Amino acid sequence: MSKKAGFPSMYLAGAALGLAILTGGCTMNDTQQRVGSGSVIGALGGALLGGSREGAAIGAAVGAAGGYIVDQRSKRSDTASENARLRAENEQLRQEADGI
């Protein structure tokens, strides 16, 4: 089997995996969704750039790691925003208590 004959099947496998992740995403938490999306995007990118299963596997691993990093950064940002909001609310309550 030539490389070109197997290449469209990689597209089909990537599309099937992407569809499975999209439909399964309803029951996934945010981290799982971001890691899954990253791995699918990475696998497709690796297959396109590398043209081999190894390229797709490396792309999936890199994409999954990227998705995890994006997830952790988002959580850190959300936590920092929530902490700032709570500090401001706490200060407002303290000022109201001092005024009473």
Side-chain angles (χ1 to χ4, degrees):
M1 182 183 288
S2 72
K3 190 175 187 179
K4 288 186 177 184
F7 196 64
S9 65
M10 290 185 354
Y11 284 125
L12 184 59
L17 180 61
L19 183 60
I21 287 177
L22 287 175
T23 57
C26 298
T27 60
M28 292 181 181
N29 64 31
D30 288 341
T31 301
Q32 292 168 333
Q33 288 177 353
R34 289 182 179 126
V35 170
S37 298
S39 66
V40 169
I41 292 168
L44 291 175
L48 288 173
L49 296 175
S52 67
R53 290 184 182 145
E54 292 83 15
I58 292 168
V62 170
Y68 182 76
I69 290 168
V70 167
D71 177 68
Q72 295 304 303
R73 180 172 278 200
S74 175
K75 285 180 179 179
R76 196 173 309 131
S77 175
D78 291 348
T79 300
S81 297
E82 180 66 11
N83 285 341
R85 185 191 67 77
L86 289 172
R87 276 192 292 277
E89 185 179 329
N90 192 16
E91 182 61 31
Q92 181 182 2
L93 289 171
R94 192 174 296 136
Q95 289 174 356
E96 287 175 6
D98 288 343
I100 294 179

